[in-house]
Amino acid sequence: MTLNTLSATEIARLIRVGDVKPSTVMQTHLDRIAEREPAVGAFQHLDADHAMERAIAADTLPVGGPLHGVPFVIKDIIDTDNMPTGWGSDLYATRQPDQTAICVQAFLNAGAIPIGKTVTTEFAYFKPGKTANPHNLDHTPGGSSSGSAAAVADFMAPLAFGSQTAASLIRPAAYCGVYGFRPTIGGYPVQGVMGLSESLDTLGVIARDPRDLALADAVLRDVDIATPPDFEDALPRISLMRGPHWTEGTAEMRDTCTRALNIIAKAGADVGETAHPPIFAHLADAHATVMSYEACRTRTEEFANGVPAISQQFYDLVAAGQKISDTDYQNAIGLRNRAGAILDQLFRDTDALLVPSAPGAAPAGLDATGNPLYSRMWNLLQVPSIAIPFGTDATGLPLGVQLIGRYGSDARLLGIAQWVHATFTARRH
């Protein structure tokens, strides 16, 4: 096993005890990037020389922060003062911020070392970038955090920043077979992150191990790393919610959810099924209303340039938002609030909901990023969610499930994800 296949948690431990040096860790990741980047296309801007310079300097520094010497990558909608941030658009291809986003600075302060900026869809919406799915280069990696998910999945980095407004983190994590965490909206600082829809935009993290999500969470919140719950006294209560769009996904997706729940049940957890409240059937449409309405007020300057300066997809999003009345927008927000209150009551009887993370495995082709349907309503409701890989389809493409937590219960959900990960891992061995 080479260093670039290890988790961020394990890399940080090995560096801390003196078993490896940051420069050695970095070199294994850069070697992997040199081997695979021409095919996968995860990077918008690769800063290999600077990354190695930082790693060599870290070799001689005392271990301070919890991410000392750990490589990471940054979605290209997040500002960095020493690398361009182009938002996935030709309009901003040469844009160079003069400040670094708070989230990136938090990682730097913790000792982490950036490798580069990863590909995003245009303005974190639908127009794909160049990235391919590392499990099958003819299939999409999802969007908009496509480069981040692909880089982590292909062992180019153990940690990556992504973001989500509809399904931009959960879906690519699912398609690429890695973990993705989107906290309760507002949980992580978004200063220096390109805005699209104010009430929906959320910074998140992608990793191959849920322990790394908890580690990143502690760094971003500037708190001590929480000891994961051992669940000795009471295992988590996890309920399957099929949801209003259950039959719109593949049979494989439905089978994945039920098999995952069965394994969790055999491990002794308290499982069951929770029917979706009728109001949930309207949440995906309400999300689309809110997103279009807010996007057209956030990205007016780009819309003014028209097609072909921006893609037809993005033009249509903003144009649709201009046709949404204030009343329709407020109705959608009201619907969200009522549904959120109902969801909060459901969590009296369960700790987490198990739901689909995507319609199925990653679709073929690189001209689209897949359907965001299975994350829209959870993003609208602003509750935390985690993509958890679980098995593959007949062709070897990853499948997975999504865990939904109660509003503000991020730490609890991260702990449950670690327990589920251990349960799935034990089942494979």
Side-chain angles (χ1 to χ4, degrees), residues 266-278:
K266 288 177 181 177
D270 182 3
V271 304
E273 289 201 30
T274 299
H276 70 271

Side-chain angles (χ1 to χ4, degrees), residues 197-218:
S197 177
E198 183 178 6
S199 72
L200 300 172
D201 293 341
T202 320
L203 180 72
V205 184
I206 295 172
R208 294 187 302 273
D209 189 317
R211 295 176 301 167
D212 294 354
L213 301 179
L215 176 59
D217 183 79

Side-chain angles (χ1 to χ4, degrees), residues 125-126 143 164-168 171 175 284 287 291 357-359 369-377:
Y125 189 53
F126 278 166
Q164 181 159 300
T165 304
S168 296
R171 187 171 80 258
Y175 284 170
H287 174 278
M291 184 172 172
S357 55
T369 60
N371 192 334
L373 181 63
Y374 290 91
S375 285
R376 279 191 183 272
M377 68 178 179

Side-chain angles (χ1 to χ4, degrees), residues 359-384:
L366 302 181
D367 56 349
T369 60
N371 192 334
L373 181 63
Y374 290 91
S375 285
R376 279 191 183 272
M377 68 178 179
W378 306 117
N379 215 71
L380 179 70
L381 292 169
Q382 304 184 329
V383 290

Side-chain angles (χ1 to χ4, degrees), residues 229 231 236 238 351-352 403 411-421:
F231 296 112
I238 300 176
D351 296 311
L403 288 182
R412 176 73 172 172
L413 188 64
L414 285 164
I416 292 171
Q418 291 177 68
W419 181 86
V420 169
H421 169 75

Side-chain angles (χ1 to χ4, degrees), residues 24-35:
T24 306
V25 171
M26 183 60 70
Q27 190 60 60
T28 63
H29 286 88
L30 294 180
D31 288 346
R32 178 66 176 181
I33 291 168
E35 174 190 357

Side-chain angles (χ1 to χ4, degrees), residues 341-352:
I342 294 171
L343 177 62
D344 191 65
Q345 293 300 306
L346 294 179
F347 278 112
R348 292 181 302 179
D349 300 318
T350 191
D351 296 311

